Amino acid sequence: MARSIEWMKLTAAEVQAAAAEDALLIVPVASLEQHGPALVTGTDIILGGNVALETARKLLEAGHPALVTPVVWHGLAEHHMAFGGTVTLDSATFQAVLRHVVKSAARHGFKRVFLMNGHGGNAEAIGTAATDLAVEFGIRVGGGTYWHMVPEVIAPLLEDQPGLMHACEAETSMVWNLLPEGVRPDRLPEAHGPSSSRAPGQPAGLLMRRSFKEITPTGVVGDARRASPEKGAALLDAIAAKCAELLANPAIWGR
């Protein structure tokens, strides 16, 4: 019987065996938060976890051992709190959670860890964590937000957006494919909003998060009205394939 790629489905000895063969440990990081009128609050958990799992499967198929932890489901979501349905950590607590997950992995012998982020509000903090933890534990630690890593495979599959946004065409499609009960089709006509969460004239290099209540009355950035489960399946496959290709690059891990 083939060994699972999910840490929680392995015995302790099997986890140690994965560490001994230099498996890449992928830690999906997400958030529990509002996703507009048509999408469930667990969207980032569902998508972050499944992108990590599909990426690990594709790595394994290509001969690269990989293992995935359970999702770190709580993130930095203050900008969604005004809508309700959201749990947020402060920055110090978030960094402490990631530190202890990676510290545990390092103590068990894992030498390569990737923080696979599935929530926009975590993006800057993930980069800080990866740098700090690599220095502290003397292992390779990378981090990235999956749609920032592979935008070139997302855009061609969307009809109304240039990329993945929030509770949008892309996220709704992927949830619809993975967990059909996670979408409220009767509310999709309401599930649209502005095309950016940035203030007019705010460049990418100017970091300032505002409450989504100031940005979008629906809680949506983008437009979910053309979402479909078929589009979601194509997105998940394309994203995971490209992420696996990137993470299989030996130069990233200093090999």
Side-chain angles (χ1 to χ4, degrees):
M1 182 171 137
R3 191 174 71 202
S4 175
I5 57 170
E6 295 183 68
W7 179 312
M8 70 178 184
K9 294 181 180 179
L10 299 178
T11 66
E14 290 165 344
V15 172
Q16 294 310 115
E21 66 184 17
D22 193 30
L24 171 64
L25 182 65
I26 301 178
V27 180
V29 187
S31 178
L32 182 66
E33 65 189 37
Q34 74 82 23
H35 271 77
L39 212 49
V40 291
T41 55
T43 288
D44 291 348
I45 301 168
I46 296 163
L47 299 186
N50 278 282
V51 167
L53 287 170
E54 287 301 316
T55 298
R57 288 189 185 103
K58 291 182 184 298
L59 281 167
L60 197 60
E61 288 167 2
H64 305 287
L67 191 64
V68 182
T69 71
V71 178
V72 177
W73 64 265
H74 26 43
L76 301 175
E78 179 60 40
H79 49 302
H80 291 292
M81 287 294 287
F83 279 98
T86 299
V87 172
T88 190
L89 301 182
D90 61 28
S91 183
T93 304
F94 181 67
Q95 293 289 350
V97 170
L98 296 181
R99 177 177 179 272
H100 285 285
V101 172
V102 176
K103 181 180 181 180
S104 297
R107 289 179 64 187
H108 294 320
F110 287 94
K111 303 297 184 187
R112 299 182 299 136
V113 177
F114 187 75
L115 305 173
M116 174 75 82
N117 181 42
H119 166 56
N122 296 339
E124 296 85 6
I126 289 289
T128 298
T131 300
D132 289 350
L133 298 177
V135 171
E136 181 174 0
F137 302 125
I139 63 174
R140 295 280 181 176
V141 183
T145 302
Y146 70 80
W147 61 90
H148 292 161
M149 292 168 59
V150 297
E152 68 274 23
V153 304
I154 297 173
L157 297 173
L158 301 178
E159 297 174 78
D160 292 327
Q161 299 177 196
L164 188 147
M165 298 179 183
H166 181 78
C168 62
E169 181 183 352
E171 287 197 325
T172 303
S173 293
M174 286 195 286
V175 171
W176 212 339
N177 172 63
L178 291 163
L179 186 75
E181 62 268 36
V183 179
R184 309 290 185 263
D186 61 314
R187 303 295 300 275
L188 281 174
E190 308 162 55
H192 56 94
S195 60
S196 174
S197 60
R198 295 181 176 276
Q202 180 183 345
L206 196 165
L207 303 178
M208 180 184 294
R209 295 199 184 277
R210 300 176 292 153
S211 170
F212 262 44
K213 272 283 191 183
E214 298 177 36
I215 299 165
T216 167
T218 63
V220 177
V221 174
D223 193 334
R225 288 175 290 185
R226 288 219 220 197
S228 72
E230 295 77 19
K231 191 178 295 180
L235 283 163
L236 180 60
D237 185 67
I239 290 167
K242 189 63 178 178
C243 284
E245 179 187 326
L246 294 177
L247 294 177
N249 179 0
I252 290 176
W253 306 106
R255 291 166 140 191

